Every structure is written in structure tokens, then in C-alpha cells.
Amino acid sequence: QVQLVESGGGLVQPGGSLRLSCAASGFTFSRYTMRWYRQAPGKERELVGTITSAGGSTNYADSVKGRVTITRDNAKTTVYLQMNSLKPEDTAVYYCNVNWFGVSYWGKGTLVTVSS
């Protein structure tokens, strides 16, 4: 059974940093590209970035490029989203995602609130 569990969200001041984690189980984690999405209040879900199976390639949305870094630890079956220089516009529920045998799996998300 594929399971994804996000953690690390919380309240942070503008300009601050957070590191989100997504613990994965139920599939061979090291073989799959992982993705981070977010959904801000009243807005559509947005792709934040992706990381390939071995961590050799990443890409990011223009809205976060230069401020975020996605990494993964295949031994821990965990993918991370490091976010710096946070802005109020980054306030959202953040989700990790994997496409496994043609089906998208999602965690329940972790809330990031950027406010002074």
C-alpha cells in the first residue's frame, strides 16, 4: 500500500525558512520521481518541483525557483523540500506525490503559514 506522510509545516515569518519532509512507504522509493505540490487558500493546486529517482535532476516552478531545494534520501525513503526567503504568497498546504503504475498518490499535506 503506497503511503506518503508529509511533516514539517508550521508558522514562519516572512523571510524565514522551513524544511518539509515526506516519508514514503509501500513501493520501491528509489525507482520513482517524487513531486511536491501546494495549494493556497482559494487557489488551484500548483506543482512546486520534482526530483528524479536518484536525485540527479530537479526542476522548480518559476514562483519558487532560487528559494527552494528538493532533495531525497533513498535509504530513508524520504523526500525533502527546503524553503528559504519565504513570502506570504507561499502560504499553502504542501503535498508530496508519486505516480505509481499510472496512479497518482498523495499524502494528506502539511500546512505552511507565512505571516508576521
Side-chain angles (χ1 to χ4, degrees):
Q1 182 180 6
V2 173
Q3 294 185 67
L4 303 171
V5 181
E6 302 94 341
S7 63
L11 176 64
V12 63
Q13 294 182 349
S17 298
L18 280 177
R19 191 193 197 196
L20 307 184
S21 299
C22 173
S25 62
F27 64 101
T28 307
F29 178 81
S30 62
R31 297 180 183 174
Y32 290 88
T33 292
M34 299 297 295
R35 298 172 175 85
W36 283 98
Y37 286 80
R38 67 184 182 184
Q39 187 165 22
K43 298 183 67 176
E44 298 291 330
R45 186 167 56 193
E46 173 189 27
L47 177 65
V48 177
T50 66
I51 184 166
T52 53
S53 59
S57 181
T58 55
N59 63 77
Y60 305 99
D62 289 341
S63 59
V64 300
K65 193 173 299 181
R67 300 188 296 117
V68 309
T69 304
I70 299 174
T71 57
R72 67 192 294 160
D73 186 335
N74 284 343
K76 292 182 169 62
T77 67
T78 300
V79 61
Y80 304 94
L81 178 63
Q82 176 70 46
M83 302 189 292
N84 304 316
S85 301
L86 284 163
K87 306 173 181 180
E89 306 94 274
D90 296 317
T91 295
V93 178
Y94 285 73
Y95 302 90
C96 63
N97 164 267
V98 64
N99 188 301
W100 187 72
F101 282 84
V103 178
S104 288
Y105 291 85
W106 304 86
K108 293 183 177 181
T110 185
L111 176 63
V112 172
T113 302
V114 184
S115 176
S116 58

